[in-house]
Amino acid sequence: MIRHVFEFGLEMLVERKYYVENKEQVKVKQVSELKAFIGTLALSERSLKYCTDGCLRRYLEARNWDLHKSKKMLLDSLNWRSSFKPEEIRWSDVAHEGETGKVFRANLHDRVGRTVLIMKPGMHKNTTAPEDGTKYFVYLMENAVLNLPEGQEKMTWLLDFDGFSLRTNIPIKTSRDIIYILQNHYPERLGVVIFYNPPRIFEAFFKAVRYFIDPKTAQKLNFVYPNDKDSVELMNSLFDVENLPSEYGGKATLKYDHEEFSRLMLEDDVKTAQFWGLDEKSHHTNNGQSGGEVAS
């Protein structure tokens, strides 16, 4: 009897191993097919540089490995990148949006090495044009991707609701545009989202935008409250408390210095130009405006 149980368990393990290996082979084949499809298109050098194997896997993953849907999604993104030109946005184009520290790349990573973007919805009152807020978001997404450690493709968002009110919150249109861009043009870039201590009034706003959030993204959303045991455990599982700012239950200090953050962004602008092979001397964004926090 014991022998039969052992043999049955062994067979199940072998079958599972075969299933996993076969499934991965199918995925590798689909990446190759998507790459072959890309090869039939007359793409620019930038578009070809964008379409790495990792990039193609993210688009396939975002569409549950449906090749047809992944092709459409990728083409839509390539068209969007061709017109919006996110790689050409520079800090001087969006610096005015960052003056309040409403969104910035923090000087820390989570436990698995993901870049952390800290967002403060209560500090969005300096945005007068929705398109400016969207452009600033895209700039920071490109910057966050640029600063991902080798082997890491996702990032963490931490939304701090200190000072939040419907008057200072992100406009609905900007929120809708940001959600659309994130889900459709930065697939599988979001690892986890933390809503830190959101007030009840946020529920009304969230109800207005949740219909634009796809199920896969919704699974990554976490509501965290400082006096809740489960929330504290979640934060400790995601971050090293020695590096996490005290505002979020850690021991580090959070300071936003716009001049220092501007310096870091200007340095990254040079790296961005080098990565994409752009000539900064003749650089001019397609829809740019002239303009200029650091967590430690």
Side-chain angles (χ1 to χ4, degrees):
M1 177 68 177
I2 296 177
R3 179 182 177 184
H4 289 315
V5 171
F6 175 78
E7 290 177 348
F8 176 75
L10 186 60
E11 289 177 1
M12 292 294 292
L13 287 173
V14 171
E15 288 181 5
R16 177 172 176 78
K17 182 174 182 294
Y18 174 78
Y19 171 77
V20 172
E21 291 178 348
N22 187 58
K23 189 175 182 180
E24 183 58 31
Q25 289 175 356
V26 171
K27 290 182 177 181
V28 170
K29 181 180 178 182
Q30 286 177 302
V31 171
S32 297
E33 291 181 4
L34 187 53
K35 183 187 293 186
F37 167 72
I38 292 300
T40 66
L41 306 176
L43 298 180
S44 66
E45 290 187 13
R46 290 190 210 176
S47 292
L48 291 172
K49 189 175 184 64
Y50 177 75
C51 295
T52 63
D53 284 5
C55 171
L56 301 184
R57 287 184 72 93
R58 286 193 298 275
Y59 278 85
L60 285 161
E61 180 70 32
R63 290 297 178 261
N64 295 315
W65 295 88
D66 183 307
L67 188 59
H68 176 72
K69 292 181 180 179
S70 300
K71 287 179 180 179
K72 183 181 184 305
M73 184 185 191
L74 180 57
L75 285 177
D76 288 345
S77 285
L78 292 176
N79 288 331
W80 174 78
R81 293 186 70 89
S82 179
S83 60
F84 200 91
K85 294 181 170 56
E87 72 280 359
E88 289 191 10
I89 304 173
R90 294 295 176 265
W91 181 243
S92 60
D93 302 323
V94 296
H96 60 287
E97 285 288 319
E99 290 175 352
T100 63
K102 61 188 177 186
V103 187
F104 61 96
R105 191 188 84 236
N107 188 28
L108 75 146
H109 294 83
D110 64 14
R111 288 190 182 275
V112 295
R114 292 180 291 219
T115 298
V116 178
L117 287 183
I118 294 180
M119 307 179 181
K120 299 187 175 185
M123 302 183 74
H124 278 261
K125 55 183 177 294
N126 73 318
T127 296
T128 56
E131 58 272 17
D132 286 355
T134 301
K135 189 174 181 180
Y136 184 52
F137 164 78
V138 170
Y139 173 83
L140 288 177
M141 284 296 294
E142 293 286 312
N143 181 268
V145 170
L146 179 72
N147 284 280
L148 285 171
E150 185 176 354
Q152 180 55 258
E153 297 187 331
K154 298 179 185 292
M155 63 191 72
T156 292
W157 287 8
L158 197 165
L159 281 75
D160 178 356
F161 283 87
D162 183 45
F164 175 88
S165 72
L166 292 181
R167 183 177 61 83
T168 61
N169 187 37
I170 308 171
I172 293 292
K173 182 184 185 307
T174 301
S175 298
R176 187 174 64 243
D177 290 345
I178 286 175
I179 291 171
Y180 179 86
I181 290 172
L182 172 68
Q183 293 180 162
N184 291 281
H185 304 315
Y186 293 93
E188 297 304 309
R189 284 298 192 186
L190 191 59
V192 62
V193 177
I194 299 166
F195 294 116
Y196 196 84
N197 204 24
R200 287 185 177 275
I201 196 172
F202 174 71
E203 294 179 7
F205 172 78
F206 187 71
K207 288 179 180 179
V209 299
R210 66 180 179 179
Y211 300 104
F212 304 104
I213 303 175
D214 68 42
K216 292 190 71 171
T217 301
Q219 292 177 359
K220 302 172 183 178
L221 307 182
N222 298 273
F223 286 76
V224 172
Y225 302 91
N227 296 321
D228 178 74
K229 181 181 177 181
D230 292 337
S231 293
V232 172
E233 290 180 355
L234 175 63
M235 292 297 285
N236 289 340
S237 70
L238 291 172
F239 300 97
D240 181 346
V241 294
E242 297 295 330
N243 300 323
L244 183 67
S246 58
E247 290 90 335
Y248 314 122
K251 299 180 180 180
T253 300
L254 179 68
K255 177 185 177 183
Y256 182 79
D257 184 320
H258 187 62
E259 290 187 7
E260 176 63 13
F261 191 64
S262 294
R263 183 186 65 79
L264 293 175
M265 294 301 98
L266 290 172
E267 290 178 357
D268 281 352
D269 282 352
V270 175
K271 290 191 290 185
T272 297
Q274 292 173 343
F275 178 83
W276 292 105
L278 300 174
D279 182 4
E280 287 298 272
K281 293 181 180 179
S282 60
H283 166 73
H284 181 70
T285 59
N286 63 315
N287 57 352
Q289 297 179 10
S290 296
E293 180 160 318
V294 176
S296 60

